[in-house]
Amino acid sequence: MSQIAEGVYFIEGQDEFIPDSHTYVVGRPGSQDLSLIDPGLMGKGKYKMESIENMGIDPKDITRIIMTHTHLDHIGCCAEIREQIRWAELWVHDTEAGPLEEGDERTVYGMEMFQSMCMMQYNLKPGAFTFYVDRRLEGGENLDIGGMTWEVLHIPGHSPGSIGLYSRLEKVLIPGDVVYADYAIGRFDMHGANGPELGNSLLQLAKLDVNILLPGHNRIVKELPSGYIAETARRWAPYLT
Ligand SMILES: [Zn+2]
Ligand SMILES: [Zn+2]
């Protein structure tokens, strides 16, 4: 785990044969109002929480979990982590909050074949990813949390309720699986995904002034070249119609 900027911490995912999403913790030290973004894959809760404590962060200060989206590699260890921070609220975009509360796991697993494989491999029961959502997020909101302001951007396409979190002051973007380093983007062939929507979401992100890109997987980028997301959108446009 490392500190990326003031009030932004990074815990690298530990990929297995399924990827484990990166986890971020945001909020000013001393605010006692930290947010954990994207827990990660099943079985990674212990590693993620130990990494957080090793940074000198008191788990008591984590008051909420925010999901960039509810795919399995991001929400898999949500229950494990909540056992250690039972008071933490769960915030999810409105579009994915309903299915999560109803136990509709189509977005979590994304594909039927993947679902049966994962359920067998990890001994998961149907309904394992049913959660009460404390707050349903919407695009355009400004969250004043942990002494910082984070804008919620609804950026569907990879999944229907994908959000990005953006600190305009720090020029930090946490885009979930919508855009990665090296001109890569999230896949758009799973349940609720949509290529043209993903294209529009990339164009929405391209308008932001981003210096630090903190995606859900792979490399993080600390000095993002200007125009990087616009160029990514341009390269992918032919495939997103
Ligand atoms: Zn995803
Ligand atoms: Zn992911």
Side-chain angles (χ1 to χ4, degrees), residues 207-223:
K207 292 182 194 147
L208 306 173
D209 185 5
V210 178
N211 189 32
I212 301 177
L213 180 69
L214 302 176
H217 303 279
N218 305 327
R219 277 192 323 119
I220 63 171
V221 186
K222 288 185 185 166
E223 284 173 40

Side-chain angles (χ1 to χ4, degrees), residues 69 71 73-74 158-159 162 177 180 190 217:
H69 62 303
H71 280 161
D73 54 323
H74 297 246
H158 170 68
S159 80
S162 279
D177 284 354
Y180 304 114
M190 304 206 283
H217 303 279

Side-chain angles (χ1 to χ4, degrees), residues 66 91-94 135-145 149-154 163-166 168 204:
I66 304 177
W91 293 10
V92 179
H93 186 267
D94 185 53
R135 178 164 171 176
R136 295 178 175 225
L137 298 171
E138 286 180 35
E141 286 187 83
N142 279 316
L143 304 177
D144 286 312
I145 50 177
T149 301
W150 291 88
E151 298 177 33
V152 178
L153 313 154
H154 183 213
I163 59 162
L165 292 169
Y166 177 58
R168 201 166 284 273
Q204 186 186 336

Side-chain angles (χ1 to χ4, degrees), residues 28 55 65 92 120:
R28 300 280 187 224
M55 271 294 289
I65 295 169
V92 179
M120 204 144 54

